[in-house]
């Protein structure tokens, strides 16, 4: 009974109960979440206004890869961090050049969890977890680059190379490179049974959960890769087989002893401190027999995804002739959904791709060269036990000026027939290259490219996530070469384009939202835009 009900006022009691219920579900009118959602809704309206433009505010180039995370651009193997928010390049920090042994192999951004008391004031600010070539795990301040925590993982027995999330912002997985013996050792008959090592951590505060081996004696000789995601251990095999195991059940059953970072331990006759050099972390999860199998499926190139509601999975049948054909099946009984075979029948150099929509709606996005389908899973009419795949909406490339005509007429009137047809992703036709989802603004962002000769032009389109309606189109001013590698990030009021050219040349183009009135727009259109070059922190920038 609600406390207010004791006063005898039934309507007031109902209102209090309703308020408590809404607050429990995040709907309390004065909480930060409601204010944030309202602000993001307002920002979305401003972005989609016709008068709002995105201006290329600055550009820079690099001889090493460029990375982007939440308003921060990283150069020189994360040694230099520049804010993407300021109109002029603003260096947040720049660290001195480090030896190759301290090279950063991978990185993850950590955000402060809400509603939790943390041991250190620095834990309440964003930080960057990085993995070095010498098996050090470092937590750096995202704003200053200062080392906040330092953990030694292991000696020369393995080389840790990859960081990933098991549960985003909660549980982190560190994976080693695959252990391979030198050719001389193999010829001498030496056996290598351990294929991978996995170290698992709870984050903020960083705490060690456990480390385990993926051993061929347990999982088989043909293991090619392994991952942990959403509490599931995923093991992949050379013949396209994918097997799923319950990781929590494995850690509970096979953990020999739990360990805390910074505490002294005695392990296999060695005494050391957990997470300190030279001992590192103990391998305290020893899988001694094959764990119970949750699920098994065969798919071409081990391509396997789970999502939707109710749970479904997507695979490609494990034969090369089926490349580009996707089967959507029920996870419960492996039954193929009605209309569950999706095939765009593309004739293109780059294959189409498919994935579960990241907005948690349970929908599926299928992207081809000139067509994007957003699909939904629903019950078959008059049959609640069977599911079907239905089209929610489609987005079609603008190919009004299609050059794909098999017959042309010359100026003299002679009819010429082509002996070949253009590919679906021919550069001279508008082609979809990147599809992403901006979760805070609930927008689909799509990069479409057309290249005629050496000059390629791209534009970034924002579509309504619910209905697919085009709301805004932003031209990218720089030339787009389809043979180069490209990444485009749309983050609130920022658009970032990172381009990789041959010979490891990288470029970064930063666009920011600009709201112009009609008079300002008319006056600025008659003024010649000047580009200024400057040097900051040893790096050259061009900005308006």
């Amino acid at each position: 009974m609600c406390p207010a009900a004791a006063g005898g006022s039934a309507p007031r009691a109902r209102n209090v109960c309703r308020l408590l219920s809404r607050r429990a579900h995040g709907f309390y009118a004065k909480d930060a979440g409601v204010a944030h959602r309202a602000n993001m809704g307002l920002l979305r309206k401003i972005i989609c206004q016709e008068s709002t433009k995105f201006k290329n505010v600055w550009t820079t180039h690099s001889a090493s890869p460029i990375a982007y995370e939440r308003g921060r651009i990283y150069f020189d193997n994360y040694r230099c961090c520049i804010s993407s928010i300021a109109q002029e390049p603003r260096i947040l920090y720049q660290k001195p050049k480090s030896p190759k042994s301290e090279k950063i192999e991978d990185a993850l951004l950590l955000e402060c969890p809400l509603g939790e008391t943390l041991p250190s004031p620095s834990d309440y600010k964003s930080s960057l977890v990085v993995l070095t070539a010498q098996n050090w795990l470092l937590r750096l301040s995202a704003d200053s680059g200062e080392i906040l925590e330092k953990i030694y993982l292991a000696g020369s027995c393995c080389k840790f190379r990859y960081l990933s999330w098991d549960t985003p912002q909660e549980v982190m997985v560190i994976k080693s490179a695959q252990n391979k013996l030198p050719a001389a050792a193999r010829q001498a008959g030496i056996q290598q049974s351990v294929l991978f090592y996995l170290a698992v951590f709870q984050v903020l505060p960083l705490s060690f959960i456990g480390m385990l081996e993926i051993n061929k004696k347990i999982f088989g000789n043909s293991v090619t890769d392994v991952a942990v995601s959403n509490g599931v251990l995923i093991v992949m095999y050379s013949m396209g087989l994918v097997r799923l195991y319950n990781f929590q059940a494995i850690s509970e059953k096979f953990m020999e002893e739990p360990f805390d970072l910074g505490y002294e331990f005695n392990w296999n006759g060695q005494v050391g401190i957990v997470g300190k050099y030279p001992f590192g972390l103990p391998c305290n999860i020893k899988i001694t027999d094959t764990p119970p199998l949750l699920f098994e499926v065969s798919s071409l190139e081990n391509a396997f995804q789970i999502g939707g509601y109710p749970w479904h999975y997507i695979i490609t049948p494990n034969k090369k002739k089926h490349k580009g054909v996707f089967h959507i099946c029920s996870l419960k009984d492996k039954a193929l959904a009605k209309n569950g075979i999706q095939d765009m029948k593309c004739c293109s150099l780059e294959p189409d791709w498919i994935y579960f929509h990241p907005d948690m709606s349970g929908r599926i996005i299928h992207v081809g060269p000139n067509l994007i389908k957003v699909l939904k899973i629903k019950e078959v009419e008059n049959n609640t036990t069977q599911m079907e795949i239905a089209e929610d909406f489609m987005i079609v490339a603008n190919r009004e000026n299609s050059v794909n005509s098999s017959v042309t007429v010359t100026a003299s009137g002679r009819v010429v027939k082509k002996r070949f047809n253009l590919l679906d992703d021919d550069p001279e036709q508008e082609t979809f290259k990147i599809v992403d989802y901006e979760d805070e603004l609930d927008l689909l962002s799509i990069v479409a490219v057309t290249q005629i000769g050496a000059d390629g032009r791209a534009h970034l389109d924002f579509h309504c996530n619910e209905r697919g309606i085009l709301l805004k189109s932003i031209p990218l001013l720089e030339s787009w070469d389809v043979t180069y590698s490209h990444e485009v990030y749309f983050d609130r009021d920022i658009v970032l384009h990172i381009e990789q050219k041959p010979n490891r040349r990288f470029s970064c183009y930063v666009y920011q939202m600009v709201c112009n009135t009609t008079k300002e727009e008319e006056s600025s259109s008659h003024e010649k835009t000047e580009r200024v070059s400057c040097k900051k922190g040893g790096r050259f920038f061009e900005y308006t």
Side-chain angles (χ1 to χ4, degrees):
M1 186 176 183
C2 291
S9 175
R12 183 171 179 269
R14 283 196 298 269
N15 288 339
V16 171
C17 287
R18 191 179 298 115
L19 178 61
L20 290 173
S21 176
R22 285 174 61 80
R23 179 184 292 174
H25 287 86
F27 293 117
Y28 185 43
K30 294 183 180 180
D31 72 12
V34 169
H36 178 76
R37 285 191 293 271
N39 289 339
M40 291 300 101
L42 182 60
L43 178 59
R44 171 178 161 145
K45 290 179 181 178
I46 294 172
I47 285 174
C48 295
Q49 286 177 351
E50 188 177 350
S51 60
T52 302
K53 309 294 180 186
F54 277 76
K55 179 182 176 184
N56 178 210
V57 289
W58 58 267
T59 300
T60 191
H61 308 280
S62 175
S64 61
I66 303 170
Y68 174 77
E69 288 284 356
R70 292 284 184 179
R72 302 175 184 89
I73 308 171
Y74 296 96
F75 299 87
D76 301 334
N77 195 231
Y78 294 91
R79 286 192 299 106
C80 177
C81 178
I82 298 176
S83 170
S84 66
I85 298 172
Q87 285 202 345
E88 294 185 9
R90 180 166 64 89
I91 297 177
L92 295 178
Y93 66 82
Q94 186 160 14
K95 304 175 81 172
K97 193 171 182 179
S98 54
K100 285 186 177 181
S101 61
E102 296 179 17
K103 178 192 173 188
I104 293 173
E105 299 287 349
D106 206 353
L108 284 178
L109 183 71
L110 301 190
E111 302 279 18
C112 168
L114 298 176
E116 292 187 23
T117 303
L118 301 174
S120 171
S122 65
D123 294 341
Y124 292 95
K125 296 183 179 180
S126 297
S127 55
L128 195 71
V129 168
V130 301
L131 176 63
T132 74
Q134 293 297 314
N135 287 343
W136 284 95
L137 186 72
L138 310 178
R139 187 166 73 90
L140 313 176
S141 166
D143 295 322
S144 67
E146 175 192 357
I147 297 177
L148 304 175
E149 288 185 78
K150 193 172 182 179
I151 299 169
Y152 186 65
L153 300 175
S156 58
C157 64
C158 64
K159 295 291 184 183
F160 283 101
R161 288 293 178 266
Y162 311 102
L163 294 175
S164 64
W165 291 114
D166 172 18
T167 304
Q169 300 299 329
E170 292 183 19
V171 179
M172 176 178 65
V173 181
I174 311 171
K175 186 179 78 171
S176 73
Q178 185 171 354
N179 281 352
K180 292 183 178 179
L181 286 172
R186 291 196 301 270
Q187 289 173 0
I190 299 174
Q191 297 294 319
Q192 173 68 55
S193 61
V194 178
L195 300 171
F196 296 94
Y197 288 89
L198 297 173
V200 185
F201 284 81
Q202 191 86 26
V203 300
L204 288 181
L206 273 177
S207 57
F208 177 56
I209 295 175
M211 186 159 83
L212 68 151
E213 303 171 343
I214 300 300
N215 196 309
K216 66 171 67 174
K217 293 178 181 177
I218 303 297
F219 294 99
N221 292 324
S222 58
V223 173
T224 57
D225 204 357
V226 64
V228 177
S229 178
N230 294 290
V232 176
L233 175 65
I234 306 167
V235 183
M236 288 156 272
Y237 295 82
S238 58
M239 57 282 202
L241 191 66
V242 179
R243 287 177 174 160
L244 308 185
Y245 303 91
N246 186 326
F247 178 73
Q248 184 176 351
I250 289 173
S251 60
E252 290 174 355
K253 180 179 179 180
F254 297 105
M255 181 174 290
E256 297 186 345
E257 185 181 346
F259 290 95
D260 293 325
L261 293 172
Y263 285 82
E264 188 176 282
F265 71 98
N266 189 325
W267 187 256
N268 293 334
Q270 289 186 317
V271 178
I273 297 176
V274 181
K276 298 294 184 182
Y277 184 84
F279 298 101
L281 304 174
C283 191
N284 59 337
I285 302 176
K286 291 283 188 180
I287 304 177
T288 54
D289 54 47
T290 306
L293 184 66
L294 287 180
F295 190 81
E296 179 180 271
V297 71
S298 181
S299 180
L300 187 65
E301 298 173 350
N302 301 112
F304 172 72
Q305 304 174 59
I306 296 178
Y309 181 82
W311 292 108
H312 280 67
Y313 64 89
I314 303 173
I315 61 166
T316 294
N318 197 12
K319 292 184 179 178
K320 287 186 178 180
K321 67 178 182 180
H322 292 306
K323 190 175 180 68
V325 179
F326 303 100
H327 286 200
I328 304 170
C329 305
S330 168
L331 189 65
K332 181 181 178 181
D333 55 11
K334 296 189 177 182
L336 181 69
K338 184 180 178 182
N339 302 324
I341 299 177
Q342 296 294 314
D343 183 6
M344 284 194 175
K345 294 182 170 60
C346 301
C347 180
S348 56
L349 292 176
E350 296 183 8
D352 52 327
W353 70 96
I354 193 169
Y355 58 98
F356 287 100
H357 200 312
D359 70 350
M360 306 303 290
S361 65
R363 295 181 295 175
I364 297 168
I365 299 178
H366 189 183
V367 184
N370 66 326
L371 182 66
I372 298 171
K373 288 183 179 181
V374 177
L375 309 169
K376 57 186 177 182
I377 303 171
K378 67 174 191 175
E379 290 180 352
V380 173
E381 192 173 351
N382 301 324
N383 185 357
T384 57
T385 62
Q386 187 182 9
M387 308 304 292
E388 72 172 321
I389 308 302
E391 185 182 295
D392 198 12
F393 61 81
M394 282 197 314
I395 299 171
V396 183
N398 181 13
R399 292 190 170 183
E400 293 177 356
N401 300 322
S402 177
V403 295
N404 194 18
S405 175
S406 60
V407 178
T408 56
V409 181
T410 65
S412 63
R414 184 167 61 91
V415 175
V416 179
K417 292 185 178 181
K418 292 182 179 179
R419 294 185 179 181
F420 59 91
N421 292 323
L422 292 178
L423 295 172
D424 289 329
D425 60 349
D426 187 278
E428 294 185 8
Q429 303 178 100
E430 183 173 272
T431 302
F432 295 129
K433 292 295 184 181
I434 298 172
V435 178
D436 206 352
Y437 173 64
E438 218 296 345
D439 57 343
E440 292 181 300
L441 302 179
D442 196 30
L443 291 172
L444 284 174
S445 61
I446 300 170
V447 177
V449 180
T450 307
Q451 180 162 336
I452 298 177
D455 190 27
R457 290 296 163 194
H459 54 90
L460 177 63
D461 295 341
F462 300 150
H463 289 257
C464 169
N465 183 46
E466 290 301 314
R467 292 177 291 170
I469 299 170
L470 177 63
L471 301 175
K472 186 82 175 178
S473 186
I474 301 168
L476 300 181
L477 302 181
E478 61 276 7
S479 178
W480 184 295
D481 191 317
V482 295
T483 63
Y484 298 168
S485 175
H486 299 266
E487 296 173 68
V488 175
Y489 298 92
F490 170 43
D491 190 358
R492 296 187 183 179
D493 58 344
I494 300 290
V495 171
L496 196 81
H497 175 202
I498 298 174
E499 175 185 50
Q500 180 179 352
K501 301 174 183 177
N503 301 321
R504 293 183 62 82
R505 292 180 299 135
F506 299 84
S507 298
C508 178
Y509 308 88
V510 179
Y511 291 76
Q512 292 181 353
M513 183 182 76
V514 177
C515 298
N516 286 335
T517 64
T518 306
K519 289 183 179 180
E520 286 176 339
E521 199 171 341
E522 289 176 356
S523 62
S524 64
S525 64
H526 295 291
E527 296 175 4
K528 186 177 179 181
T529 303
E530 292 186 5
R531 302 290 288 180
V532 179
S533 295
C534 72
K535 188 176 182 180
K536 293 184 178 182
R539 184 177 303 281
F540 284 97
F541 298 88
E542 301 171 9
Y543 60 94
T544 304

